[in-house]
Amino acid sequence: MGGRGARGGGPLLHEQGRAGERDHVPAGAEHLRPAYRELEDPQDRALVAYTLVRALLFTGHVDEAAETARLARKELPPELADMGLALEGVEFMSLYFGATIPDAAERLVRYRTEYPGDSPGSRMVRGVAGYEWMRQGGQADACCELALESIASPDWLAFDGGFAWIAAIVPLVLADREEGLAGLDTLLRYAHRSGSAFAVSGVHLWRGWAMLRSGDLPEAEALLNLSVDELERWGLGGVARLYPAAFMAETLMERDDLEGARAHLERTGVDDIAAEGVRFWRMVNAELLLA
């Protein structure tokens, strides 16, 4: 990530992220805000900005997250271009939490064919571009090709913690590609090595969703139950809280536990914004009403 010796972008950012995750993410965000404002070194500011953006997204401050990523990216010098791509990737991810980015669609389309380099930040933006192409009805093989390029090297897990990695995994799972579960296995190994609560809970959540998609309902329920507990202790907030609720409700509905499914949806309620978590919640709610 364009580091300076032992202070390279990946490891430092990774450790900053873990520090917040070990405690409580809302408290971590409150510490990161003044740190970002007061730092002067461009790389240090970018590293803290990346961690802050992720914390803001998972506590419901989505527009602040997108703006922080945008400003941090714009102020980087040329030698930190890959860190800028990583910040652009996490800026794109804020779209799925409900942020408004007027030019995001144009930029994401460009990354379908533009190859900004073989680097962690480049692979990250390409992975998010593949996810967005899937959402827009892109052909499965083309979306999966971008996803596979993105996860071909796991080096960006060291600074991303698996956040945008999941965006690359989703098209593979939906296309019934074995690389989807393999990618989750890679993330799980990283999570255990790093001790990152964020990564561990994310793997349990999305592997549970993948098991639901494959029809392994007992395994899906076990993993999703685990993720619900972990994410609540981690301090999950905003629309992000809707993912575990929606996935668990769908699993219980498939197991003919309609009351349990309804309880999970009502436990969180739903926000009235254009966000992925809201979409998942409303889709499951509609299916449950029909059931």
Side-chain angles (χ1 to χ4, degrees):
M1 294 296 293
R4 299 185 298 273
R7 297 180 65 237
L12 178 58
L13 181 59
H14 170 55
E15 290 303 318
Q16 288 172 333
R18 285 177 58 191
E21 291 155 10
R22 278 193 294 266
D23 296 316
H24 196 256
V25 67
E30 292 306 314
H31 289 293
L32 287 165
R33 279 192 181 99
Y36 172 64
R37 288 194 298 267
E38 294 170 14
L39 285 168
E40 296 182 358
D41 179 84
Q43 176 169 291
D44 290 343
R45 279 177 59 82
L47 296 172
V48 172
Y50 190 98
T51 310
L52 174 59
V53 169
R54 195 173 67 182
L56 291 171
L57 289 177
F58 283 90
T59 52
H61 304 281
V62 295
D63 288 323
E64 181 185 354
E67 182 68 2
T68 299
R70 186 187 68 83
L71 292 176
R73 177 171 59 88
K74 293 292 186 182
E75 69 181 16
L76 285 175
E79 61 268 24
L80 296 178
D82 194 56
M83 187 70 232
L85 286 170
L87 283 164
E88 188 173 20
V90 79
E91 178 190 4
F92 288 148
M93 290 295 289
S94 71
L95 287 169
Y96 309 120
F97 290 75
T100 300
I101 307 175
D103 64 342
E106 178 183 347
R107 284 189 281 150
L108 281 163
V109 168
R110 188 174 70 243
Y111 282 127
R112 295 179 191 175
T113 55
E114 184 176 302
Y115 296 82
D118 183 23
S119 61
S122 174
R123 284 190 285 276
M124 183 175 174
V125 293
R126 296 270 287 166
V128 181
Y131 178 82
E132 179 61 21
W133 199 1
M134 175 203 72
R135 292 180 72 253
Q136 299 299 328
Q139 202 271 339
D141 287 344
C143 297
C144 287
E145 181 180 349
L146 284 178
L148 292 172
E149 289 177 7
S150 181
I151 66 171
S153 174
D155 53 1
W156 54 292
L157 284 177
F159 66 87
D160 176 66
F163 177 37
W165 182 273
I166 294 296
I169 296 298
V170 170
L172 297 171
V173 172
L174 290 177
D176 295 324
R177 296 284 295 260
E178 62 182 16
E179 295 95 338
L181 288 179
L184 288 170
D185 289 339
T186 298
L187 180 53
L188 184 60
R189 289 192 295 270
Y190 157 79
H192 284 308
R193 286 197 306 269
S194 68
S196 168
F198 173 83
V200 170
S201 60
V203 174
H204 290 155
L205 175 66
W206 288 99
R207 180 171 277 279
W209 171 80
M211 292 297 98
L212 170 61
R213 300 271 75 78
S214 69
D216 189 343
L217 299 180
E219 180 69 6
E221 185 174 353
L223 286 167
L224 292 169
N225 265 322
L226 188 58
S227 74
V228 167
D229 178 63
E230 291 167 337
L231 290 167
E232 285 182 352
R233 286 188 283 110
W234 194 68
L236 191 71
V239 296
R241 76 192 189 284
L242 302 179
Y243 287 92
F247 297 166
M248 178 60 82
E250 185 176 1
T251 301
L252 294 176
M253 183 176 62
E254 291 293 331
R255 304 198 77 182
D256 295 323
D257 182 1
L258 303 187
E259 290 184 4
R262 174 55 59 196
H264 270 277
L265 292 181
E266 292 181 348
R267 184 180 180 186
T268 61
V270 68
D271 302 288
D272 189 20
I273 61 174
E276 286 288 82
V278 174
R279 180 176 66 83
F280 278 115
W281 193 100
R282 291 195 183 280
M283 286 174 61
V284 175
N285 185 55
E287 292 173 2
L288 182 57
L289 289 170
L290 288 171

